Amino acid sequence: MSRLGVVVNPTAGRGRGTGLGSHATSLLRSRGHDVIDLSAGTIAEATRNARREILAGVDALVVVGGDGMVHLGANVVAGTALPLGIVAGGTGNDIARSLGLPRHEVRASVQAIEHGLVHGARPIDAVHVSTPEGDGVEWYLGALSCGVDAAVNARANELTWPQGGGRYVRALGSVLRSLRPYGFRVTHDAGVWESAGTVVAVANAPLFGGGMRIAPDASMDDGLIDVVVAGPLSRSGVVRVFPRIYSGRHVEHPAVQVFRTRSVLIEPTGLGAAPPLAFADGEPVAMLPLRADVRAGAVHVLA
């Protein structure tokens, strides 16, 4: 059978990650796979372990956890032929949802991985984020958040309850107390959007934040990214628009625009407050300015 490198996030799903990981590795081994446990105490160490095993010749990298673990996996395999298997067991699992993969179902996830090993992996797009000078930062599969969406993400990461999208609702209330529109210049393939604004999200997948449809028409295999921007909104305006994100109807609001592009440069300007730390797939990335470029078929998912 196959030689698989497996990375488990023990804190995924509010501490259920260890059990999910043990179940997944036991099931894979019982089905004849050679499983190498690459888990570690830190994300950086686990990433180094995974990259080392690529050189050692594993047949696939399997991540067990939520979007953060998928993010780790994407940064290991993007641009290589090594396929990525996903056992989704986090609180949000937006990337697994966007790909139609099982969630919190280890046996079904293992079956999807084995199907991909036998019949071939599904190529999907990945987005490379870098500085304007071209210095590499990292890859992501879901969405890059640069506005109030990033500030809410940062606050949600500090909360222990509730699970999933409920944390983002609670975090929003905290962020709104000091909200001021940020200053942005967004340069995409067809032009420039320069404004004070509240949201700038660069989406490869339709979902983020535990089920919010930030870019309802985004596809992970079309070679394009959907840049969702919202002009300056008052606090009450944000409160009115925010619930629409769950259905994707926020894109109907006159302050919201969507640009489909292959690359985008996002810069801070003096038109508003300094934008917060940007997040990708729920993980902190860097301060603006940042450039995002989509790479068609850069990741191969076992599905």
Side-chain angles (χ1 to χ4, degrees), residues 11-277:
T11 65
R14 293 287 173 260
R16 295 190 298 271
T18 299
L20 287 170
S22 297
H23 187 185
T25 54
S26 296
L27 185 56
L28 287 166
R29 284 178 175 138
S30 73
R31 295 179 65 81
H33 300 285
D34 179 14
V35 176
I36 300 96
D37 186 0
L38 307 176
S39 306
T42 66
I43 291 294
E45 187 178 353
T47 302
R48 286 194 296 270
N49 290 346
R51 286 180 173 146
R52 183 191 67 233
E53 286 303 317
I54 288 180
L55 299 176
V58 293
D59 297 305
L61 176 65
V62 176
V63 293
V64 183
D67 289 328
M69 291 306 292
V70 179
H71 185 76
L72 179 155
N75 275 277
V76 172
V77 306
T80 77
L82 187 72
L84 178 65
I86 300 171
V87 179
T91 55
N93 302 310
D94 289 303
I95 296 170
R97 291 189 203 199
S98 297
L99 291 170
L101 294 175
R103 291 171 286 133
H104 300 288
E105 298 179 26
V106 173
R107 186 169 295 277
S109 297
V110 168
Q111 289 174 345
I113 289 167
E114 291 184 325
H115 185 276
L117 287 169
V118 173
H119 298 284
R122 172 187 172 184
I124 64 169
D125 303 338
V127 185
H128 184 253
V129 185
S130 64
T131 67
E133 294 75 28
D135 296 328
V137 178
E138 58 189 86
W139 297 85
Y140 71 88
L141 297 181
L144 175 71
S145 301
C146 303
V148 68
D149 40 326
V152 169
N153 196 328
R155 177 61 183 134
N157 285 354
E158 299 171 353
L159 303 176
T160 58
W161 66 272
Q163 296 185 10
R167 282 189 304 149
Y168 288 80
V169 175
R170 184 181 172 206
L172 177 65
S174 176
V175 169
L176 282 177
R177 296 190 192 105
S178 58
L179 178 67
R180 290 173 53 211
Y182 308 109
F184 293 107
R185 180 184 300 112
V186 177
T187 305
H188 52 93
D189 290 352
V192 178
W193 180 82
E194 188 167 2
S195 174
T198 47
V199 172
V200 172
V202 183
N204 183 45
L207 301 171
F208 83 160
M212 300 183 200
R213 292 194 168 275
I214 183 64
D217 295 325
S219 171
M220 298 184 74
D221 56 8
D222 63 354
L224 296 169
I225 41 181
D226 287 27
V227 183
V228 182
V229 302
L233 292 168
S234 64
R235 293 172 190 171
S236 60
V238 173
V239 170
R240 286 194 298 271
V241 171
F242 185 83
R244 300 185 186 185
I245 300 178
Y246 286 94
S247 64
R249 292 186 57 243
H250 63 291
V251 298
E252 301 170 3
H253 191 281
V256 178
Q257 298 180 65
V258 182
F259 309 113
R260 308 204 78 198
T261 184
R262 289 181 297 275
S263 66
V264 62
L265 174 63
I266 307 163
E267 301 169 283
T269 72
L271 296 175
L277 178 72

